[in-house]
Amino acid sequence: MDALIESAIAARENAHAPFSHFKVGAALQDDSGRIHTGCNVENATYGLTLCAERVALFKAVSEGARKFRRMAVAADTAVLTPPCGACRQILWEFCGDIDLILTNLQSKTESLRLKDLFPRPFDASFL
Ligand code: THU
């Protein structure tokens, strides 16, 4: 199996989701090939929750990574789970039109481009 998908599935195990019980893992590959992982981390106020995708991205940025190739997102759903709207915005700003691989625990996968999920983005080019 693709190491990126395996990493997302493994990262999902670390999810801190005591409120939703919905565990998500993400794995982001930078332009050097390094894989940065993340899981969702929930909070009692709910709204401060961080999704797996943003945890992976912010971890990568904090390690100095600035260019990215692709991200895998893993959740235990029959209909594959895509990034939420907030994550689509952040991913667009840092990664541009990367390849996204959605997967579940039954190894069902789907590949798509971020631009297909987020077709008319607002970003720094407007400022
Ligand atoms: N969640 C993610 O981490 N990524 C997604 O793509 C969808 C939603 C998390 C946020 C929250 O902890 C839980 O899943 C339910 O929304």
Side-chain angles (χ1 to χ4, degrees):
M1 195 195 291
D2 186 329
L4 197 70
I5 293 174
E6 282 181 335
S7 298
I9 291 172
R12 179 183 166 277
E13 291 302 318
N14 294 326
H16 178 71
F19 306 104
S20 73
H21 305 288
F22 190 79
K23 297 164 87 174
V24 185
L28 179 62
Q29 188 171 43
D30 68 25
D31 66 343
S32 77
R34 184 175 167 193
I35 292 174
H36 307 264
T37 60
C39 61
N40 52 327
V41 182
E42 298 186 345
N43 178 273
T45 66
Y46 294 18
L48 295 178
T49 290
L50 279 180
C51 293
E53 295 90 329
R54 274 175 289 155
V55 171
L57 176 70
F58 293 152
K59 278 177 63 189
V61 171
S62 76
E63 296 287 321
R66 287 295 183 274
K67 290 186 176 164
F68 303 100
R69 289 181 190 159
R70 55 197 190 120
M71 172 176 270
V73 180
D76 188 17
T77 55
V79 176
L80 297 174
T81 298
C84 77
C87 287
R88 293 178 198 195
Q89 175 70 35
I90 297 292
L91 288 172
W92 174 260
E93 291 193 43
F94 281 92
C95 307
D97 190 21
I98 54 166
D99 287 315
L100 282 175
I101 305 160
L102 311 182
T103 189
N104 68 11
L105 305 188
Q106 282 71 46
S107 301
K108 178 181 176 185
T109 62
E110 182 184 349
S111 294
L112 61 166
R113 302 286 295 218
L114 181 58
K115 198 72 186 279
D116 294 325
L117 285 181
F118 201 55
R120 193 174 168 181
F122 173 79
D123 59 27
S125 68
F126 288 91
L127 302 177

